[in-house]
Amino acid sequence: MAKVSISLDAELVVEVMVLAGVGSPQDAVEAVVRDYIARGHRTESRTELRDQNLREVQVKPQDPQG
């Protein structure tokens, strides 16, 4: 797996370490990135279901009016 090196504000990393309960900056950043990705997948799943439901409603024939 490829690795990426970046510079981050130390205060941000320490805050994430405390909130996530992890002991290393690497683990803290990985936890945040994994959470962000998981949240994105959950959002995609919810919006996909909603979009499918909307399509099903639009496809149903309408009753004659008048």
Side-chain angles (χ1 to χ4, degrees), residues 32-51:
V32 169
V33 172
R34 290 181 192 281
D35 181 63
Y36 182 81
I37 291 169
R39 185 176 302 158
H41 289 304
R42 288 190 304 268
T43 301
E44 287 174 357
S45 295
R46 282 191 303 246
T47 57
E48 182 178 339
L49 288 174
R50 188 185 76 217
D51 289 345

Side-chain angles (χ1 to χ4, degrees), residues 9-56:
D9 184 286
E11 289 181 23
L12 291 174
V13 175
V14 169
E15 189 167 350
V16 171
M17 289 172 63
V18 170
L19 291 171
V22 296
S24 77
Q26 177 76 30
D27 291 344
V29 172
E30 284 185 14
V32 169
V33 172
R34 290 181 192 281
D35 181 63
Y36 182 81
I37 291 169
R39 185 176 302 158
H41 289 304
R42 288 190 304 268
T43 301
E44 287 174 357
S45 295
R46 282 191 303 246
T47 57
E48 182 178 339
L49 288 174
R50 188 185 76 217
D51 289 345
Q52 285 177 347
N53 290 339
L54 288 174
R55 280 190 219 109
E56 289 173 4

